[in-house]
Amino acid sequence: MNGKNGAVCAFIYQLIPLFGREVNNGILIDFQVTNDDIAGFCGISTRNSVNRILRGLREENVITMVNQKIVVLDKDYLKQFIQA
């Protein structure tokens, strides 16, 4: 599944239909999810690894954070990690 990065991207993508709502600059995941939660769902041993992955996604303008919630800026980037 493209490693840890792919697992986190796929997880965030799967949150879109559950908790996503359109906002001006993207799709707000209107649910606070912690790095520990993401690590648990994705099978990653530490939240520090998740933090590093999320920071990389922010630097690539795939996501941003608003009030401790994820805003997806590039849904197509995340979609590439979903297995068909």
Side-chain angles (χ1 to χ4, degrees), residues 1-11 44 52-54 56-57 60 77-78 80-81:
M1 182 195 253
N2 299 315
K4 294 177 185 179
N5 187 53
V8 171
C9 289
F11 177 74
I44 300 172
R52 191 169 42 254
I53 292 166
L54 293 178
L57 292 174
E60 293 183 35
Y77 180 91
L78 299 175
Q80 70 183 332
F81 294 99

Side-chain angles (χ1 to χ4, degrees), residues 27-44:
I27 302 168
L28 173 68
I29 306 297
D30 200 7
F31 181 76
Q32 286 188 0
V33 59
T34 66
N35 290 357
D36 283 328
D37 294 335
I38 295 172
F41 279 106
C42 295
I44 300 172

Side-chain angles (χ1 to χ4, degrees), residues 1-17 20 25-29 38 42 53-65 70-84:
M1 182 195 253
N2 299 315
K4 294 177 185 179
N5 187 53
V8 171
C9 289
F11 177 74
I12 293 171
Y13 185 83
Q14 291 170 349
L15 291 177
I16 292 172
N25 59 344
I27 302 168
L28 173 68
I29 306 297
I38 295 172
C42 295
I53 292 166
L54 293 178
R55 186 175 56 242
L57 292 174
R58 284 193 305 269
E59 290 171 357
E60 293 183 35
N61 291 318
V62 176
I63 65 168
T64 189
M65 302 297 286
I70 299 170
V71 177
V72 177
L73 305 173
D74 188 352
K75 182 178 175 180
D76 292 332
Y77 180 91
L78 299 175
K79 187 175 183 178
Q80 70 183 332
F81 294 99
I82 301 297
Q83 292 183 342

Side-chain angles (χ1 to χ4, degrees), residues 40-54:
F41 279 106
C42 295
I44 300 172
S45 59
T46 66
R47 63 187 168 103
N48 291 333
S49 295
V50 172
N51 187 43
R52 191 169 42 254
I53 292 166
L54 293 178

